[in-house]
Amino acid sequence: MPDVFADLVGQDEAVVELRRAAAAAAAVLRAGATALVAAGPVSGDALAADDAATGALDPSAGMTHAWIFTGPPGSGRSVAARAFAAALQCVHGTGCGECPGCRTTMGGTHADVRLVVPEGLSIGVGEMRALVLRAASTPSGGRWQVVVIEDADRLTEAAGNALLKAIEEPPPRTVFLLCAPSTHPDDISVTIRSRCRVVPLRQPPATAVAEVLVRRDGIAPDVAQWAAAAAQGHVGRARRLARDPEARKRREAVLAVPRRLTGVGAAFDAASALIEAAEAEAEASVTESDTTERASLETALGAGGTGRGASGAIRGAAGQLKELEKRQKSRATRAQRDALDRALVDLAGFYRDALTMALRAPVAPVHTDTAALAGAGAQKWDAEGSLRRLEAVLACRAAIEANVKPRIAVEAMMLALWKG
């Protein structure tokens, strides 16, 4: 197994910084262990010495208790956070990828690593308070309690305040790793940002993404190169395009939109088709997990039981089932928006190609298989028209992010694309 940073694509500077921090964290633990040995039998004073040693994280030495990983979608924010968590739990302090600490962390089973992946549109205060409370406990493995929060930009204001209090007064052996698109106040609060070290990640080059697809996933080099370019540096999307025929079909349908926009009616038809495709993709991705969750909960609450009180128990569980349905609905909404956003990114890539061709810019197209269509569009629309269409797609993404109804945002976009 390669070391834990092997899949962090095109982020050499970040890897160097994280390796240095993991080594500094390991040195802090060694200093704490030395203090305990020197103190003799375990006593209150010895434990205080250990807490002082492990709590004195010196940012100038490369390690601190709170981090924010920023970067565009697909840059590897969550990959970097998980790899760093594994390096902190590594018995060698390097992220070797071979020791139990590395393996269990990367596998998601380490007892001292808490991973928060929001299933819905936000992370609530109740979930955050429970997480902070558990994170304050002593590490069972003797190293660190690590809290990884993916999509920290989805924290509600109350959840952010609960997290802020923990970051301001951190337990001696707890490290917080947050992932967000940027440090803008819309993504992460200024007060949380001021107490964290920021690790900026960049969009990895297509060549680096293709190399990972070939090495890790066994994908043919030519397919890997095409998928990496079409995904615009997004590692997960590139893997999906390379391995999933359905994903390729959905992409082809999206890239056929520009030639379908022949009038107002066609624009609304294209909007409906795009929304319905996103809904179908989202439903397919969550149906199995929703069914399994409901069946498990009903079984736990006594469904199917024949003993005394079984029927009464399931009747009294209506509130829990309703809460589950609420969470599943929120997860489905997010899945739909994620699917729609992937389609909009592909569409933006098409108009970006038209713009670069209209400007005769010496850059490779994103979508090599629709380069001829983009070239025809560039001749028809010229640079200004191509730019307006690209801006319309980006405006649609921003509107959906701001909670505008997806159908309304997409219909407005399609009309703007038709009008030019």
Side-chain angles (χ1 to χ4, degrees), residues 62-88:
M63 182 60 191
T64 188
H65 71 286
W67 299 72
I68 298 177
F69 298 86
T70 66
S75 58
R77 300 187 300 253
S78 61
V79 174
R82 293 189 193 205
F84 186 40
L88 292 175

Side-chain angles (χ1 to χ4, degrees), residues 1-58:
M1 178 179 176
D3 73 36
V4 296
F5 295 105
D7 289 339
L8 191 53
V9 182
Q11 311 293 347
D12 294 343
E13 293 180 3
V15 170
V16 170
E17 181 177 0
L18 296 176
R19 288 189 190 280
R20 178 170 172 259
V28 168
L29 290 179
R30 287 194 295 271
T34 302
L36 274 179
V37 172
V42 176
S43 64
D45 291 342
L47 291 175
D50 180 45
D51 283 347
T54 56
L57 295 179
D58 180 7

Side-chain angles (χ1 to χ4, degrees), residues 65-390:
H65 71 286
W67 299 72
I68 298 177
F69 298 86
T70 66
S75 58
R77 300 187 300 253
S78 61
V79 174
R82 293 189 193 205
F84 186 40
L88 292 175
Q89 304 295 5
C90 178
V91 296
H92 306 293
T94 60
C96 65
E98 298 291 342
C99 71
C102 289
R103 287 183 175 275
T104 54
T105 301
M106 297 304 287
T109 59
H110 197 291
D112 296 328
V113 179
R114 319 280 180 205
L115 182 63
V116 181
V117 183
E119 294 184 337
L121 297 178
S122 62
I123 303 174
V125 63
E127 180 180 3
M128 187 51 54
R129 284 174 178 165
L131 181 73
V132 167
L133 183 62
R134 292 194 64 185
S137 59
T138 301
S140 60
R143 297 189 70 81
W144 303 96
Q145 283 280 9
V146 183
V147 178
V148 180
I149 303 178
E150 295 189 13
D151 299 329
D153 52 307
R154 297 181 186 269
L155 288 166
T156 64
E157 183 178 357
N161 290 336
L163 176 63
L164 174 62
K165 185 174 181 180
I167 292 178
E168 286 179 330
E169 302 173 3
R173 291 193 183 185
T174 300
V175 179
F176 296 93
L177 309 179
L178 282 61
C179 306
S182 72
T183 55
H184 190 278
D186 288 345
D187 290 331
I188 202 81
S189 77
V190 175
T191 46
I192 291 178
R193 158 67 184 88
S194 66
R195 289 160 176 79
C196 299
R197 172 173 293 176
V198 178
V199 180
L201 304 178
R202 64 190 182 95
Q203 180 176 305
T207 53
V209 175
E211 188 275 329
V212 168
L213 295 180
V214 172
R215 170 177 56 82
R216 183 183 59 193
D217 302 308
I219 295 170
D222 57 335
V223 176
Q225 288 286 352
W226 167 81
Q232 303 177 59
H234 192 299
V235 181
R237 187 175 290 130
R239 186 186 302 112
R240 190 179 301 111
L241 286 173
R243 303 180 69 174
D244 184 1
E246 290 300 318
R248 293 195 288 272
K249 289 181 181 178
R250 288 191 291 268
R251 171 181 171 275
E252 290 171 2
V254 170
L255 295 180
V257 165
R259 59 173 175 263
R260 293 179 56 188
L261 300 177
T262 57
V264 174
F268 281 102
D269 289 343
S272 294
L274 196 59
I275 292 294
E276 290 167 5
E279 290 174 346
E281 181 181 349
E283 183 178 0
S285 68
V286 302
T287 296
E288 183 177 352
S289 60
D290 285 356
T291 303
T292 302
E293 282 181 351
R294 186 178 181 88
S296 298
L297 181 58
E298 288 178 344
T299 300
L301 295 174
T306 57
R308 181 180 299 176
S311 59
I314 191 63
R315 283 197 303 270
Q320 296 184 53
L321 291 172
K322 186 175 182 179
E323 180 63 27
L324 174 63
E325 291 172 356
K326 181 180 178 181
R327 291 200 308 269
Q328 290 179 343
K329 183 178 180 181
S330 180
R331 180 168 61 196
T333 300
R334 183 185 176 191
Q336 178 188 340
R337 292 192 179 186
D338 288 346
L340 182 57
D341 190 66
R342 286 192 290 270
L344 294 176
V345 168
D346 287 334
L347 197 57
F350 174 85
Y351 289 110
R352 174 265 191 195
D353 288 345
L355 176 62
T356 57
M357 291 178 183
L359 294 173
R360 294 182 173 81
V363 295
V366 170
H367 302 300
T368 54
D369 47 349
T370 58
L373 182 60
Q379 293 181 354
K380 179 179 178 181
W381 305 321
D382 66 38
E384 185 177 354
S386 300
L387 178 59
R388 284 198 302 269
R389 288 170 172 81
L390 175 58

Side-chain angles (χ1 to χ4, degrees), residues 376-419:
Q379 293 181 354
K380 179 179 178 181
W381 305 321
D382 66 38
E384 185 177 354
S386 300
L387 178 59
R388 284 198 302 269
R389 288 170 172 81
L390 175 58
E391 289 176 337
V393 179
L394 300 180
C396 180
R397 293 186 70 199
I400 294 173
E401 184 68 23
N403 287 324
V404 173
K405 290 288 186 181
R407 183 172 293 276
I408 294 175
V410 173
E411 287 177 350
M413 177 194 73
M414 290 298 184
L415 288 173
L417 294 179
W418 169 63
K419 291 179 181 178

